[in-house]
Amino acid sequence: MTIQRLINSWAASDPEQTYLISPETGSNVSFERLKGHVIELSAHLDALGIGKGEHVAVLMDNGPWTTILFLAIMASGRVVVPLNAIAGDSQLQYVLEHSDAALLLASEQHLARARKISDKTERDITLIFTSPDTGPDWPGHARAGHSIPPEVAPNDVALLIYTSGTTGKPKGVLLTHGNVIAGGMNTVEAHSLRREDRALCVLPLYHINAEIVTVIAPLISGGSVVMPHRFSTRVFWDLVRDHNCTWFSVVPTIVAYLLEHGDTQPGGIRGNPDYAHVRFGRSASSALPASNHVAFEKAFGMPLIETMGLSETAAQILSNPLPPGRIKYGSPGIAYRNEVKVIDENGRDVPSGEIGQIVVRGNNVMKGYYKNPKATAESLKPDGWLHTGDLGYRDADGFYFITGRTKELIIKGGENIAPREIDDVLLKHPAVLEAAAFAEPDRNYGQEVAACLVLKSGKSATVEEIRAFCHEELGKFKTPKDIHIVQWLPKGPSGKVQRLKIAEMLDQLNSREAPVANGA
């Protein structure tokens, strides 16, 4: 199966079925219309001289045409390169140059940046203004008639998505049509998605979670997706209600915001018949604190399913089961449709309960890193196992628990300390909204535990109070020596905190004389 064949199949069997809904414009896109957009786009690209297998970059915020282009570029036999709209100019320029994109589609909000970075590249790049709501403003010579898109094979590359680059230059992940379909199937099976299901997508379409989970998975199941321009706590539950969304995918940061602003839905939604159609919510892209998980289900009266995925695995590899299956708080769940195991430094399987590196194998695993054979060989082994760099363990029931990243581990006096253990305790404090533990150099121990945290709106706490709270929960050895109360944490496009950039953030804040409380 390919994206092209999938769209053609639904257009033939159920052409009038609505696939895409835009709340802001009030427009709907059927499967038949989606197929038409693929044919039209392929003709425009032919007129521009952009053939099969060439790369098309997209720098746009969410909207109906952002979604259409994401699918149509792949279905037309080209490779879509979503650009991270919140990245800095230097990173954007690197990705645009490295990706070998021949065409850049940019919305008005990002047009000036797009022109700036494309002008600095060493090759010619065609830049076309594209509205997320109404589509590309094709130049006259590219306004071609219909043409038949080239045939696409499962092994053809469909998506080139760049990692956040927390430890250096971003790496381009090559995903084939087969990878993308397999990743979507993992979501369909884990969440028992049906044609009657409708997803709410509030995550940016330049991230794998939104692309595969809330765009590809509904396409596979024959369902539909509601695509607002952006996430808003004020209208989130209204969108769920008014568009009969049966599920949604968010990140832990959004979970925290929804909990903090629960009063945006008067009277709540627990037991409200207007929300009887909601089956579940899902959280991914970073660890969901167990305390927030429990609080969300209690506050809103619906199951919240924690999952885990990577760009290199076309999103989801692990998921908790849906009710009445068992959910384990603090775990991203069990494997669905791919193999997952834990290994030691020598590549040997470790017994249940022992910490090691998480590795995964399946049809969803990437083809490799673009123009980076060294990184590909380091991560993707000849036997098909992808080494994720995540540390964790598997319990006796087959549930996996993630303790941190190999490069983020805090090693104090020779003892390994998982940052998430510290995070979970900090997040139990009633005044803490977000928290991230990290390593700081120390003369005596080599590394010392430190933490940054963001307080909830209207709440206050001193460093001494938070340290005392941690001391009681963690003991003296693991209690953060330095605690920084800040206004924000460095994050990637998925909302995942980038621990390795915290020191850089603190340096920037201190240089601006920002209000940072240091517990040294």
Side-chain angles (χ1 to χ4, degrees), residues 22 75 145 175 213 221 229 267 281 307 317 343 401 428 434 451 459 511:
S22 170
L175 295 173
V213 172
S221 67
H229 287 159
T307 69
I317 59 172
I343 62 171
F401 292 80
K428 290 180 181 179
E434 297 180 278
K459 299 287 187 179
S511 67

Side-chain angles (χ1 to χ4, degrees), residues 70 159 161 175 183-184 187 191 199-218 225 227 247-252 254 282-286 305 307-311 314-316 493-496:
F70 172 72
L159 172 61
I161 184 170
L175 295 173
T187 301
H191 302 327
L200 173 62
C201 179
V202 294
L203 301 176
L205 275 175
Y206 46 78
H207 186 262
I208 199 73
N209 190 331
E211 295 164 351
I212 305 299
V213 172
T214 48
V215 172
I216 298 298
V225 56
M227 184 69 62
W247 66 286
F248 53 84
S249 184
V250 294
V251 294
I254 289 180
R282 75 184 290 279
S283 176
S285 299
S286 61
I305 309 300
T307 69
M308 176 184 172
L310 299 85
S311 297
Q316 187 168 298
S494 67
K496 183 184 296 185

